[in-house]
Amino acid sequence: MALMTKEQYHQSLKELHPTVYILGEKVENVHEHPLIKHMQAGIAQTYELANDPEGKKHLVAESKLIGEEVSRFVKFYESQDDLLAKVRMLKFLAQRIGTCFMRCTGMDAINAVGIETYNCDRKNGTKYNERLLNFVKHMQENDFAVCSGVTDVKGDRSLRPSQQKDPDMYLRVIDRDNSGIVVRGAKIHQTGSICAHWGLIVPAREMLEADKDYAVCFAMPVDTEGVIHVYGRGTLEARALQDCDLGNIEYSKFAPMIIFKDVFIPWDRVFLCDEYEFAGQMVRNFGNYHRHSHGGCKCGVGDVLVGAAATAAEYNGLARVSHINNKLAEMLKTTEAIYGCSIAASVEGKPTASGIYFVDPVLSNISKLYEGKELAEVIRMMIEIAGGMVADVPSDKDFENPEIGPLLVKYLKGVEGVTTEDRVRIFRLIEKLAFESRDIVSNIHGAGSPETHRMTVLRNADIESKKKFAKRLAGIKEE
Amino acid sequence: MALMTKEQYHQSLKELHPTVYILGEKVENVHEHPLIKHMQAGIAQTYELANDPEGKKHLVAESKLIGEEVSRFVKFYESQDDLLAKVRMLKFLAQRIGTCFMRCTGMDAINAVGIETYNCDRKNGTKYNERLLNFVKHMQENDFAVCSGVTDVKGDRSLRPSQQKDPDMYLRVIDRDNSGIVVRGAKIHQTGSICAHWGLIVPAREMLEADKDYAVCFAMPVDTEGVIHVYGRGTLEARALQDCDLGNIEYSKFAPMIIFKDVFIPWDRVFLCDEYEFAGQMVRNFGNYHRHSHGGCKCGVGDVLVGAAATAAEYNGLARVSHINNKLAEMLKTTEAIYGCSIAASVEGKPTASGIYFVDPVLSNISKLYEGKELAEVIRMMIEIAGGMVADVPSDKDFENPEIGPLLVKYLKGVEGVTTEDRVRIFRLIEKLAFESRDIVSNIHGAGSPETHRMTVLRNADIESKKKFAKRLAGIKEE
Amino acid sequence: MALMTKEQYHQSLKELHPTVYILGEKVENVHEHPLIKHMQAGIAQTYELANDPEGKKHLVAESKLIGEEVSRFVKFYESQDDLLAKVRMLKFLAQRIGTCFMRCTGMDAINAVGIETYNCDRKNGTKYNERLLNFVKHMQENDFAVCSGVTDVKGDRSLRPSQQKDPDMYLRVIDRDNSGIVVRGAKIHQTGSICAHWGLIVPAREMLEADKDYAVCFAMPVDTEGVIHVYGRGTLEARALQDCDLGNIEYSKFAPMIIFKDVFIPWDRVFLCDEYEFAGQMVRNFGNYHRHSHGGCKCGVGDVLVGAAATAAEYNGLARVSHINNKLAEMLKTTEAIYGCSIAASVEGKPTASGIYFVDPVLSNISKLYEGKELAEVIRMMIEIAGGMVADVPSDKDFENPEIGPLLVKYLKGVEGVTTEDRVRIFRLIEKLAFESRDIVSNIHGAGSPETHRMTVLRNADIESKKKFAKRLAGIKEE
Amino acid sequence: MALMTKEQYHQSLKELHPTVYILGEKVENVHEHPLIKHMQAGIAQTYELANDPEGKKHLVAESKLIGEEVSRFVKFYESQDDLLAKVRMLKFLAQRIGTCFMRCTGMDAINAVGIETYNCDRKNGTKYNERLLNFVKHMQENDFAVCSGVTDVKGDRSLRPSQQKDPDMYLRVIDRDNSGIVVRGAKIHQTGSICAHWGLIVPAREMLEADKDYAVCFAMPVDTEGVIHVYGRGTLEARALQDCDLGNIEYSKFAPMIIFKDVFIPWDRVFLCDEYEFAGQMVRNFGNYHRHSHGGCKCGVGDVLVGAAATAAEYNGLARVSHINNKLAEMLKTTEAIYGCSIAASVEGKPTASGIYFVDPVLSNISKLYEGKELAEVIRMMIEIAGGMVADVPSDKDFENPEIGPLLVKYLKGVEGVTTEDRVRIFRLIEKLAFESRDIVSNIHGAGSPETHRMTVLRNADIESKKKFAKRLAGIKEE
């Protein structure tokens, strides 16, 4: 099969029947739910753009695995150019969707797991890599959307998996036989899981021998028996539920918790089981790749932040004001640094034994550090530029009221030539960009938290050689 | 009459019948509306605490005007100690309410107007000050809650009031006779207006002679005929509407737009009309006072931010982790600087001709600059410390569902000794503190935007004397 | 005796004969040395200004101890007003001297020691406080300049005093008899020691019982036998040695290392000896006081930084440029926050058992944190405003050369109405303000390093009560 | 001729006899002067490393122009790979030299001028490009060191060249005939000019028709008659003059002012004369290239900063302390962002009509913005980590003194296993890295000041397309 169209994607989801709870209710036709459809629209747009002439350049490439054009979202990184193309694809999409479109988690997980299944097989004579390649072929041939599953609930964060009072605080194998394994646990923040076809589940941290049962990696369809998706509530639910004041009129994000209630996985979808020494490296690979993904994506969102701020300034009658231009430049300073470091992490990428290319971890983590801290200041500057109206602009429903609607149209007018409606729309978009908790918290905690990024930078930065440079210049002789 | 109790306050509001629209509906018994009652609760708490032994020390003082104990919220600032007491009162309240309690806008407006009515009378032989004193006596004797009204809708922000295409973009006098004036226009961001008894309306900017009709200051009950309050929607309405997932379980903020649809004001409540040269100084006074108020208030909220982050860390099993302690110290660095500069602005306060004490404008504006920028980073650090769960923790409704409720209790458990319920509560509080648009945008735009604060700092900082210090040290002789 | 005049101060130093080494040479008439005289001039200016009508208000107050007017530099802090007066005095002086004038270390040490001698006597029946009062009387009666001595050389910083391989890495008592004690060790960064009359030596850290010999506090004249001052070289020695290109044409700072080569101290000048449990508190007191001192001083220097930048902009033809004004406001934001927090730390000061007033440690340390980090950015902005000329403006000697002098006068001219000479003077001043290592490093490490300040903030900030505020608002009940 | 060796470079300079003034003296054998030789050593090291196997990979490439291997310092940028190679070369060199080595200004100027001579010829039928190619051939064949000359003295910075009261405040053509032109004016901050063979002089700003005489670009040997180099004094002259306490024991920077006292330039070395519309683009090209150069160079210096800080921490006994690691990671965050944005600016480079590749101006300017501001904080963190000893460590001369030398060796010892001498050396290096005015000011003002970089970012960032992205997502339809 070739690449799916947007319509085929929507159709394909109808064949899936995941178990989903939303705000306390079990929901049957989940893909029509007002809180689900905006995320689904974002993912659908990635299918649409793969069939668009300009988008295709970014989104589609030949797969060595099946010898056909496939979506980059299910392709291995086989060169520095693939890594570059990925960053540019994500920027291209984020400019047009303005929020998360979910598919990079699966892409990054496929590559992260690919490196370690190869390493594990080489060391232990296992057959994980072959299974993974079969899985990826299946994804490529069907153009499926794959989400990853990484973050365990973790319980007491000062304890290792095997030390927790409740042994299920990290996902673990509770049974196994000839046909497969049974897993129990829960993964949180599974962006858009309800709108994916498959999940690729990866350990969340390094493991010791005592944690062996937790060293498990596998794939499963999102509607596998025992898999329960719980929609976690974010900040702006009233808008989608009332179908007004959306801000981003088409797209939005959510990130359910997935509970694995004793789920059976057949062996041919298992890519790690017991080999604890590869667990940490799998998730570190994923993290480094995914911080690199954020580089393109969040720069694209950054373009929307800059564009929204500039539009609001213009609508307020403040285009070309010196301090606003200064702030726009400062906003770009951060967003382009995020992008630039991801581009550089691609160019300095290196092949692994598996043939998959790895990103430069120092640069990809530094990109993420700017997202984790300075991007919050970009958003604050957007609000500063837009003005106080972002706090509490009246609702679309107020505008529809015959008594006060005309008064609002009169009084909320900005500069000549722009309708009040459009001015309100840009304030609503800015509100969405600044206050959608799933997006904002992802800037900070997506792909690991800033402390993880700092540690990764330090571990990879070769401080010893830098000390040598300093000592040599100081005239210190080393024995 | 003595100070009102909380119950008397609630009762007193029932006698008012403001015209209010909420999300497109005209609402009759507005004080019972789920989107209104949490703000009312915050204001009520200021009455409650005035009757509490510890709170009374902060909230109550003797008025020279009526020779009785009154609420500081309707008292003139008659000494540096009054200015200090105000900052400490606001910190005390904000620690206990965690969001806006509205009454400082009225307090600051009374003092700002007090200075200029005195100056105007002295110059022009008007009688505004006497009227104002009568108004303030009335407020003191009845212990009323007073909101100010400052921010006009402004239209094209590059144009002066009289230059706007629609002359109503700033509030203006459209008619006058022996009995009073008629005003038209709209003021936005009127925090809690629906829960106040009176409004004190102040011009929003300096005026030239052409803007004379806009140089108008007056007071009116919030349910005056023609006054329309439009509840502007913020980010978290679903919570109050569904009565769950509140975060701050008792208190919240809103800030309506008030439309003046040809409202009649009798002369004895008019404190400026035509004397345009005092308009700018009134609002500058208000701004400087109100930035000083933010110093105490936002430091108090800051204590809640720090406390919430520290509690979340403890509940996650991460108390006493070095990088978290470091972040807590950095959070305090900002919140205490905000407080410290307001305290210093009090100590360096000076009496005006009216006898009212004025704050040091450099220090009060610098306090606000830290709130406008660095406080956003404090909030980001709170999220960083708390972890990704702040993005999308399941709803109270999910916990109530018999199928998934027990699974959520199991999987969202943190450290031993803390219930899952309490852990979720702290995440919800953090979500509320980080994503309530009315609070966050107020940090940036409340009491003017950062550019205004910078300009005020520059205008008051006596750069010329600093140049003299530098030149003298450099050996540059001035003629 | 009354307050000394500037001339009397200079004269009084001639009677002292400290042992001093400068750049490898033992120097006899040290007070005439080009590297010493600029610091001496700064201290002399504090005497001069105490006799000036405006300066006297800041510098002189009545001592309860001797019932006469004394310099605040040798007075106890007996009220919040004394703490306020101190901050304002230091700002006043720093605006006029532009660098360190040394005397606050002694003032802060006198008070820090005063609190603990009182506490120690009360607990142990010792007589330290009486001795200290006698010492202070002597200082007051003679209007002496007192430097403190705190920072030991410390050796391996991961080890306690008694754990060091060389036991002399912290100053210690090596012998004692009826007449007194003998001490050995070295203290670094002793600002201006060569121009003081007396030193007051304080332990540098908390001590355990094993460190008893290191728990020693005493006073001695700076020319006591065995006391060796080693001038530590800073960045700009060529200027003073060549007597040109000084920048600050009168004043400069240095901070020798003092070696105690088995120095005898009579008992009546010993204020702690063995009572190790008071050592830590002494230095913590000193630190908290001295960070408070920096608040006034560095804000005063900050005024010079702002003034120098504004002057350079004007001389370049760039007065009133928008981005420069913006930077001046940002510079003030930091310098006034430093000041404001010190003022607030005074107002929130509290009396100790000794009667001496203590500063609020949270606010005084936060003031210092801004100095330690953000003040560096103030200096960077000064350079940014002034332009590249700060890097390498030709020397006064170049201007004196008949061949190139006129060409330089021609080509380095800025705006009309300002001589090239004055323009060069302001660049030189800026260079001095930005690159004098003693000043810049003092911003960061003076009165302890930023990590110490952070720890002090955390230890004193009462996080537990902040957690209670948060829990109450979240609806978490505490048992 | 092949590539020069280090010795050949030193020898070649002896044949040049530039007119040089140093601190008021005319100097004859300038290349032996203590203030000159350390810069010369840095440039010499670029020759040495071109002949080293590892260095050659970075420094040497085939020139299409002469069909031979040449130094990249005199080569055109003919591909994205050339731009990448340049950034990596500069990082490689800066790690080993720790300060400026001057040659990138010439390299960037050659390319900047190359683009515009081509454009000018195409438009005006001039022959500038051919002359430039001949000049570059000559540089390549002789492996000469070329410095650029850009920054005019500028007089009153609010006035254009032709508006200045003294017409010589920008370099201009004062006479011309068949053989060539005569120029007058002065250029400041000409890094290492005295140690180059040739200078390539470029206009400093855009010009209007009235400024035609100022639109002049040419090359000349540094000892051309009438060319006067005035060594501008920086902060650390005493060290080189006394030959001790150098910090960086081999290398240092200086940046003379060059006065053109009516200098004759033959036509075949003139690359622009009168065509004012190309002047601005020449310097903008140069700026964008040179900011890109800083990306590699300052990241390399950054490695030295990080290495020096880490070494000092280790020598103090504080290796592996958590807050120090945190700061090292923060230092890397900035230095690698500087590097990463320059790498990305290369990858996103595009060919110009001339065939020369141009860098992405948004990314190259953003790299420079981090250098201009955040690198100062990196340096501050280095000082914070190293400790107060950086302020005023005793001189080498003190250590040589037989009386105090042994005491200093004793007392300034740090951790076991490191000599006091080495510890002092690292403090001296840090002092040099933090306080050499030529380096620090170059971070801020080299290649234009931050405001220029911001404007360049804004001008090139295509804000309009970003506004479109935002409007589309908000549902705003554009006509």
Side-chain angles (χ1 to χ4, degrees), chain C residues 286-305:
Chain C
F286 174 77
N288 289 326
Y289 277 136
H290 201 46
R291 291 154 207 162
H292 176 250
S293 293
H294 275 239
C297 164
K298 299 293 179 163
C299 177
V301 173
D303 284 342
V304 179
L305 300 173

Side-chain angles (χ1 to χ4, degrees), chain A residues 66-352:
Chain A
I66 64 167
E68 282 178 45
E69 284 197 330
V70 299
S71 166
R72 284 196 176 275
F73 283 121
V74 286
K75 189 185 168 305
F76 287 114
Y77 309 135
E78 291 162 320
S79 63
Q80 291 172 349
D81 281 346
D82 270 357
L83 293 170
L84 276 172
K86 167 190 153 183
V87 175
R88 288 168 175 152
M89 166 177 77
L90 299 180
K91 182 176 178 183
F92 173 84
L93 289 170
Q95 289 171 331
R96 284 153 183 82
I97 295 174
T99 180
C100 184
F101 34 89
M102 192 215 80
R103 294 181 73 189
C104 45
T105 66
M107 170 176 63
D108 289 331
I110 284 170
N111 283 277
V113 172
I115 294 172
E116 299 313 319
T117 50
Y118 185 92
N119 290 339
C120 182
D121 289 359
R122 215 162 42 160
K123 184 173 169 209
N124 296 317
T126 43
K127 298 281 177 213
Y128 294 135
N129 197 239
E130 189 186 324
R131 289 182 197 161
L132 181 77
L133 297 182
N134 285 335
F135 165 70
V136 174
K137 265 186 213 169
H138 187 54
M139 297 302 104
Q140 292 184 345
E141 285 162 353
N142 291 281
D143 199 15
F144 280 144
V146 184
C147 72
S148 76
V150 178
T151 311
D152 291 287
V153 289
K154 293 184 191 150
D156 181 335
R157 302 197 54 177
S158 66
L159 304 176
R160 308 186 58 75
S162 56
Q163 294 170 326
Q164 301 281 338
K165 191 169 171 195
D166 178 345
D168 302 336
M169 301 316 271
Y170 286 79
L171 186 78
R172 63 175 179 133
V173 179
I174 57 162
D175 204 3
R176 65 186 83 188
D177 64 15
N178 285 346
S179 55
I181 61 176
V182 178
V183 297
R184 183 190 292 162
K187 297 272 185 179
I188 42 176
H189 313 312
Q190 301 307 304
T191 312
S193 66
I194 300 162
C195 310
H197 303 91
W198 280 76
L200 175 51
I201 309 305
V202 179
R205 53 169 295 164
E206 88 290 358
M207 308 278 180
L208 299 183
E209 189 166 3
D211 309 313
K212 238 166 73 160
D213 290 341
Y214 299 89
V216 60
C217 173
F218 59 87
M220 90 284 163
V222 298
D223 62 349
T224 301
E225 196 183 336
V227 170
I228 303 169
H229 304 253
V230 184
Y231 174 93
R233 101 172 298 160
T235 37
L236 290 162
E237 265 82 32
R239 313 305 176 81
L241 292 173
Q242 298 170 347
D243 198 21
C244 69
D245 306 326
L246 293 169
N248 183 327
I249 59 164
E250 290 193 63
Y251 310 116
S252 191
K253 174 182 180 172
F254 62 82
M257 176 176 176
I258 302 183
I259 298 171
F260 292 81
K261 203 173 166 185
D262 301 0
V263 176
F264 172 76
I265 309 290
W267 280 115
D268 60 343
R269 298 303 187 208
V270 176
F271 312 130
L272 193 76
C273 185
D274 290 353
E275 296 82 0
Y276 61 88
E277 67 269 41
F278 295 95
Q281 200 51 48
M282 267 192 188
V283 67
R284 278 196 290 272
N285 292 348
F286 174 78
N288 289 326
Y289 277 138
H290 201 47
R291 291 155 207 163
H292 175 250
S293 293
H294 274 240
C297 165
K298 299 292 179 166
C299 177
V301 174
D303 284 342
V304 178
L305 301 173
V306 170
T311 303
E314 181 193 320
Y315 287 8
N316 290 341
L318 297 173
R320 271 177 291 280
V321 167
S322 148
H323 75 85
I324 288 178
N325 276 337
N326 192 290
K327 284 181 189 89
L328 292 174
E330 288 296 312
M331 292 170 78
L332 288 161
K333 179 178 166 190
T334 293
T335 60
E336 293 287 331
I338 291 171
Y339 177 67
C341 290
S342 270
I343 288 291
S346 308
V347 180
E348 313 247 314
K350 302 263 182 305
T352 64

Side-chain angles (χ1 to χ4, degrees), chain A residues 21-26 153-158 164-169 184-186 188-190 228 230-239 241-242 244-245 254-257 259-261 315-318 323 327 372-374 376-377 380-381 383-399 401 403-404 407-408 410-416 423 428 431 434-438 440-442 444-445 449-451 454, chain B residues 21-26 153-158 164-169 184-186 188-190 228 230-239 241-242 244-245 254-257 259-261 315-318 323 327 372-374 376-377 380-381 383-399 401 403-404 407-408 410-416 423 428 431 434-438 440-442 444-445 449-451 454:
Chain A
Y21 289 83
I22 300 180
L23 303 186
E25 305 279 336
K26 188 166 180 180
V153 289
K154 293 184 191 150
D156 181 335
R157 302 197 54 177
S158 66
Q164 301 281 338
K165 191 169 171 195
D166 178 345
D168 302 336
M169 301 316 271
R184 183 190 292 162
I188 42 176
H189 313 312
Q190 301 307 304
I228 303 169
V230 184
Y231 174 93
R233 101 172 298 160
T235 37
L236 290 162
E237 265 82 32
R239 313 305 176 81
L241 292 173
Q242 298 170 347
C244 69
D245 306 326
F254 62 82
M257 176 176 176
I259 298 171
F260 292 81
K261 203 173 166 185
Y315 287 8
N316 290 341
L318 297 173
H323 75 85
K327 284 181 189 89
K373 182 169 174 189
E374 282 77 6
E377 171 63 10
R380 195 203 62 76
M381 285 191 278
I383 299 174
E384 187 180 332
I385 291 172
M389 216 60 193
V390 173
D392 47 23
V393 71
S395 168
D396 294 351
K397 291 176 188 287
D398 292 313
F399 280 89
N401 179 296
E403 284 156 32
I404 56 166
L407 287 168
L408 295 177
K410 170 186 170 74
Y411 281 117
L412 296 179
K413 181 97 169 86
V415 80
E416 277 306 294
R423 189 171 178 234
R428 280 276 169 248
E431 182 195 49
F435 293 110
E436 169 57 64
S437 57
R438 262 84 55 132
I440 299 304
V441 178
S442 150
I444 302 170
H445 286 289
S449 66
E451 284 308 308
R454 261 182 218 107
Chain B
Y21 290 82
I22 300 179
L23 303 186
E25 305 280 336
K26 186 166 181 180
V153 291
K154 293 184 190 148
D156 182 336
R157 301 196 54 179
S158 67
Q164 301 282 337
K165 190 170 171 196
D166 177 344
D168 302 335
M169 301 315 271
R184 182 188 293 162
I188 43 176
H189 313 311
Q190 300 307 303
I228 303 169
V230 184
Y231 174 93
R233 102 171 297 160
T235 38
L236 290 162
E237 266 83 29
R239 312 309 177 77
L241 292 173
Q242 299 169 347
C244 70
D245 305 327
F254 62 81
M257 175 173 174
I259 300 171
F260 293 83
K261 202 172 166 185
Y315 287 7
N316 290 342
L318 297 174
H323 75 84
K327 283 179 191 93
K373 182 169 174 191
E374 282 76 7
E377 171 63 7
R380 195 202 61 75
M381 285 191 277
I383 298 175
E384 187 180 332
I385 291 174
M389 216 61 192
V390 172
D392 47 22
V393 71
S395 169
D396 295 349
K397 290 178 187 288
D398 292 311
F399 279 89
N401 179 295
E403 284 156 32
I404 57 166
L407 288 167
L408 295 177
K410 171 186 170 71
Y411 281 117
L412 295 179
K413 180 97 169 86
V415 80
E416 277 305 295
R423 189 169 179 236
R428 281 275 168 250
E431 181 195 49
F435 293 110
E436 170 57 62
S437 58
R438 264 84 56 133
I440 300 303
V441 177
S442 150
I444 301 170
H445 287 289
S449 66
E451 284 308 307
R454 261 184 217 103

Side-chain angles (χ1 to χ4, degrees), chain B residues 114 133 141 231 311:
Chain B
L133 296 183
E141 285 162 355
Y231 174 93
T311 302

Side-chain angles (χ1 to χ4, degrees), chain C residues 189-223:
Chain C
H189 313 312
Q190 300 308 304
T191 312
S193 67
I194 300 162
C195 311
H197 304 91
W198 280 76
L200 175 51
I201 308 305
V202 180
R205 52 170 295 164
E206 88 290 358
M207 307 278 180
L208 299 182
E209 191 168 0
D211 309 312
K212 241 167 70 160
D213 289 343
Y214 300 88
V216 59
C217 173
F218 60 87
M220 90 282 162
V222 298
D223 62 349

Side-chain angles (χ1 to χ4, degrees), chain D residues 142-172:
Chain D
N142 291 282
D143 199 17
F144 281 143
V146 184
C147 72
S148 77
V150 178
T151 311
D152 291 288
V153 290
K154 294 186 190 144
D156 182 336
R157 301 197 53 178
S158 67
L159 303 176
R160 309 188 56 76
S162 57
Q163 295 171 324
Q164 302 282 337
K165 191 169 171 196
D166 178 343
D168 302 335
M169 300 316 270
Y170 288 78
L171 185 78
R172 63 178 179 132

